[in-house]
Amino acid sequence: MNDTISQIRQRLADMQQAHDCRLLFAAESGSRSWGYASLNSDYDVRCVYYHPQACYLRVYPPRDTIEWELNEVFDINGWDLRKALHLALKSNVSIHEWAHSPIMYETSPHVDEFRALIERVMQPERLAYRYVGMAVSTFKRYLEAPQVPYKEYFYCIRPLLAARWVLRERRPAPVPFAELREALLPADMQDEVDTLLQLRASSTEKAVGPVRPVAAAFIQRELESLRATLDAAPALPFPDPAPLDDFFRRVVTENPKS
């Protein structure tokens, strides 16, 4: 594991040099950060980076995404800080999950302020709506078929629990599935989730099995309940971007030369 972390950090260093950028942070995303990787899960490394100030003052600014590596072991990519902040104003799921990942490969002195800022502009109903949308998409694509990949149950159950958390606690959901499960999963689903976790941990990434009626019924009930709650929620005004503008300017001007 230590050797893998060293490889990831070296790849991130190479990315920064090649693209003239610095990392705000780099974190593990997906099943490893959630706590239920399969036998052959890859490393989903996600980062937020920023360029020197001069790069943002060009007629053609740099791309707002870097796709650095994609193979059977590593999936490494990231977003420019400006893009990350823009999506935070829309209560984007990914940016909250990356920033609060329990597995951090690189950090900076700015990361705590970044977390506080994106939580400040987070709108619980909007974030919950996005989690529910993820579950709906997975359900329609995979859980209506006779054979279902085991991992897709978690791509439904975890977002639904995260949506419940956000609506109840009014703050971002914890990334580890175990925390969401302990707080929100009904008693009659605990054995079913234990079984699914065992199947997931002992199988390859693409392993499938027959539809599991208990899990499918729970997902359908939660989808209906959460959609009804969110449909009744009032419209929300767009958050004030001024604090994020100030943060962006301060970060990129600390290294003004390209």
Side-chain angles (χ1 to χ4, degrees):
M1 180 63 177
N2 288 336
D3 182 59
T4 301
I5 293 174
S6 296
Q7 291 181 54
I8 290 170
R9 287 176 172 163
Q10 183 59 55
R11 283 163 165 79
L12 290 168
D14 293 342
M15 184 195 82
Q16 291 175 82
Q17 183 174 7
H19 288 272
D20 189 21
C21 66
R22 291 185 179 183
L23 293 177
L24 194 83
F25 69 86
E28 183 68 24
S29 175
S31 59
R32 291 183 183 276
S33 67
W34 299 329
Y36 47 75
S38 68
L39 291 174
N40 63 336
S41 290
D42 62 0
Y43 290 82
D44 295 311
V45 182
R46 299 292 180 264
C47 61
V48 173
Y49 61 88
Y50 57 98
H51 294 284
Q53 178 184 5
C55 292
Y56 299 103
L57 302 177
R58 298 171 180 167
V59 174
Y60 294 105
R63 290 184 66 229
D64 61 9
T65 303
I66 295 176
E67 295 100 357
W68 186 240
E69 185 167 0
L70 178 60
N71 53 50
E72 293 182 355
V73 179
F74 299 114
D75 179 356
I76 303 174
N77 63 67
W79 290 340
D80 182 271
L81 177 58
R82 174 181 277 165
K83 176 175 182 174
L85 293 171
H86 177 76
L87 291 173
L89 288 167
K90 298 180 178 181
S91 296
N92 175 270
V93 166
S94 295
I95 202 60
H96 286 282
E97 300 249 320
W98 301 358
H100 292 91
S101 172
I103 305 173
M104 283 281 170
Y105 298 115
E106 299 287 354
T107 61
S108 74
H110 304 293
V111 69
D112 287 337
E113 185 179 3
F114 177 81
R115 290 190 187 107
L117 278 171
I118 64 173
E119 182 169 350
R120 177 177 170 181
V121 299
M122 183 204 80
Q123 296 177 315
E125 283 75 16
R126 199 182 298 274
L127 183 58
Y129 179 85
R130 300 198 187 287
Y131 272 119
V132 171
M134 294 165 61
V136 169
S137 177
T138 299
F139 187 88
K140 289 181 176 179
R141 184 173 181 182
Y142 294 104
L143 269 72
E144 294 181 323
Q147 295 286 314
V148 179
Y150 298 129
K151 71 175 185 179
E152 302 302 337
Y153 288 105
F154 293 102
Y155 278 94
C156 282
I157 294 172
R158 185 184 172 278
L160 293 172
L161 296 182
R164 287 282 182 203
W165 174 285
V166 170
L167 291 173
R168 187 182 77 176
E169 303 294 333
R170 316 302 289 176
R171 58 190 176 91
V175 174
F177 178 70
E179 293 184 38
L180 289 170
R181 173 186 182 176
E182 182 179 358
L184 294 168
L185 191 71
D188 60 3
M189 270 293 293
Q190 296 290 345
D191 288 345
E192 178 71 359
V193 164
D194 281 338
T195 299
L196 285 168
L197 286 171
Q198 291 168 7
L199 289 168
R200 170 80 173 149
S202 62
S203 305
T204 59
E205 190 72 5
K206 297 182 179 180
V208 302
V211 172
R212 300 188 64 84
V214 173
F218 169 76
I219 291 166
Q220 286 182 306
R221 289 196 306 271
E222 283 296 288
L223 282 173
E224 292 172 4
S225 174
L226 282 163
R227 283 195 286 193
T229 298
L230 292 169
D231 286 345
L236 300 171
F238 199 70
D240 179 10
L244 279 64
D245 289 338
D246 177 67
F247 176 76
F248 176 74
R249 285 191 291 265
R250 284 189 286 108
V251 171
V252 301
T253 55
E254 71 176 18
N255 181 30
K257 295 181 180 180
S258 60

